[in-house]
Amino acid sequence: MSRSIEQVCVGDTLPPVGVCVIVAGGVAKIKEDGIWYTGMEEPVFERPLEWSPKWWAKIPLDNEV
């Protein structure tokens, strides 16, 4: 069984500051400085993304099918 996630256009709504979300290429979050940071490398969320995401999605927090 598959699950779909809702993609949100960054032109419409940005995720809350400091919340980890799914973006094309992995996971990221926006910090207080308004810059997107990657969560795919160590140290986590310390490297700014090299692109601007066009969409984001909430990370599902449950394990239901």
Side-chain angles (χ1 to χ4, degrees):
M1 184 178 284
S2 65
R3 168 179 250 179
S4 62
I5 59 171
E6 178 184 348
Q7 293 180 343
V8 180
C9 178
V10 297
D12 296 334
T13 306
L14 291 174
V17 171
V19 175
C20 184
V21 296
I22 300 168
V23 297
V27 294
K29 68 179 170 181
I30 296 177
K31 288 189 176 182
E32 292 80 15
D33 59 9
I35 297 173
W36 286 92
Y37 289 85
T38 181
M40 298 299 288
E41 297 182 5
E42 293 293 335
V44 176
F45 299 112
E46 293 299 323
R47 187 174 65 86
L49 288 180
E50 295 178 6
W51 71 93
S52 295
K54 295 181 181 179
W55 61 268
W56 62 274
K58 292 180 181 179
I59 296 175
L61 297 177
D62 59 33
N63 200 22
E64 296 178 13
V65 180

